[in-house]
Amino acid sequence: MQLRTFKTLWGHTGSIDQGALLARAAGCAGLEAPATHSAPGHLEQLASALQTHELEWIQEICTAGSYVPRRHASISEHLEDLEAQIVLGKPLAPRFINVMGGCDAWPVQDSVDFFRAAMDIADRHGVLCSFETHRGRSFYCPWNTVAILQELPALKITCDFSHWVVVSERLMDSEWDAVTLAAQHAHHIHGRVGYDQGPQVPHPGAPEYAEALASHQRCWEAVWQAQQARGYSETTLTPEFGPDGYLHHLPFTNAPIADLWELNRWIGAEEQRHFARWSHANATKEARHA
């Protein structure tokens, strides 16, 4: 199994073409970005950059709002939004679609109904949707996620464990049953490191956050193990340290304490090293038992 990383355009302040150049220089296989955007010509520029630099694309969709959904949007509104964005992105042939879907305030059964219908829409359009564990959404915490996944064994998810960490105020080693069930459904990873009081550590390489990094890496290993057992030849990870309150700033000056792209380059390179170590250890263990 090979690890392929993708560059998120969330927090990228340059042009899409410049983002594609950075992705290439960092050894990324492609970009993760939405089809919808307030900037004029966004989709055309994205298509041009992907073609020019021979990059793949993971489409990002938020249903019924932005990262936090409209509180009283109906299931039908979420589904209509999902389908409209799938149709918009299809000409660019996304590798798959990462969806922030549903609402954290819904009863579990409403979420089950939404995801069941969403899978039908994806199947009808011949695309693969992977639904993210994201705050504000149906998969905002481990326990709701477990309850929904138990009802929908075919559902694929994107594991961003940093959201669960801040919602639960603890690292996910203590919720290993939820992690292992999520891993059985995992299609994609968002590689951000959270801590008990926030979704993003100031720097994942800082020694004071070594425990948080190691915990997330154990969770990512659980995903890789489950994917390998399911026959995946490639696994994907998007380093996703971001702006918008995630990146720490100094008071009064509002100066960021780190460069966002350097954080993402660091975690991307670290996870390639980590994946190589894990793969080697796995191969050694299998050879011993052969």
Side-chain angles (χ1 to χ4, degrees), residues 10-269:
W10 179 47
H12 174 71
T13 55
S15 69
I16 297 176
D17 194 71
Q18 289 169 335
L21 286 169
L22 290 173
R24 270 292 181 206
C28 295
L31 301 175
E32 183 169 334
T36 56
H37 201 279
S38 57
H42 166 82
L43 194 57
E44 292 80 4
Q45 292 168 30
L46 178 61
S48 175
L50 294 172
Q51 182 176 17
T52 299
H53 301 285
E54 299 181 329
L55 293 170
E56 294 185 85
W57 176 46
I58 298 172
Q59 183 180 357
E60 174 192 291
I61 289 179
C62 297
T63 64
S66 184
Y67 298 112
V68 178
R70 298 192 304 275
R71 171 63 180 85
H72 296 292
S74 66
I75 293 174
S76 294
E77 287 177 283
H78 280 262
L79 293 169
E80 288 165 7
D81 200 4
L82 173 67
E83 186 160 24
Q85 292 187 62
I86 288 174
V87 170
L88 184 64
K90 274 183 76 173
L92 273 63
R95 179 184 174 117
F96 63 88
I97 301 170
N98 180 67
V99 182
M100 281 151 273
C103 179
D104 55 358
W106 285 351
V108 166
Q109 188 57 52
D110 283 2
S111 292
V112 170
D113 293 343
F114 164 73
F115 288 120
R116 184 176 286 120
M119 285 193 291
D120 289 342
I121 290 170
D123 288 344
R124 190 162 67 247
H125 286 281
V127 297
L128 190 159
C129 286
S130 181
F131 297 89
E132 186 177 345
T133 59
H134 198 288
R135 285 172 299 152
R137 299 293 182 166
S138 293
F139 288 149
Y140 75 99
C141 74
W143 311 287
N144 269 39
T145 303
V146 166
I148 295 163
L149 292 180
Q150 286 174 337
E151 296 295 319
L152 299 169
L155 192 66
K156 289 183 169 59
I157 69 172
T158 295
C159 290
D160 186 337
F161 295 110
S162 69
H163 287 285
W164 286 1
V165 166
V166 65
V167 167
S168 306
E169 289 197 88
R170 54 189 175 277
L171 298 174
M172 285 296 100
D173 302 74
S174 63
E175 303 300 327
W176 201 248
D177 287 351
V179 170
T180 54
L181 179 61
Q184 293 299 322
H185 291 258
H187 184 71
H188 182 46
I189 291 173
H190 275 181
R192 184 174 56 246
V193 177
Y195 62 111
D196 53 2
Q197 300 301 332
Q200 181 169 302
V201 298
H203 195 297
E208 58 268 35
Y209 294 106
E211 182 183 2
L213 174 62
S215 175
H216 283 70
Q217 288 180 322
R218 284 189 287 273
C219 293
W220 299 336
E221 287 182 8
V223 169
W224 296 335
Q225 192 71 51
Q227 288 179 331
Q228 189 171 64
R230 300 198 318 266
Y232 275 52
S233 60
E234 293 180 336
T235 183
T236 55
L237 180 148
T238 298
E240 216 208 14
F241 281 69
D244 189 32
Y246 286 73
L247 181 64
H248 292 70
H249 286 232
L250 294 172
F252 303 106
T253 65
N254 202 33
I257 65 168
D259 179 87
L260 196 56
W261 176 230
E262 288 305 314
L263 291 177
N264 280 321
R265 280 211 311 176
W266 190 93
I267 197 67

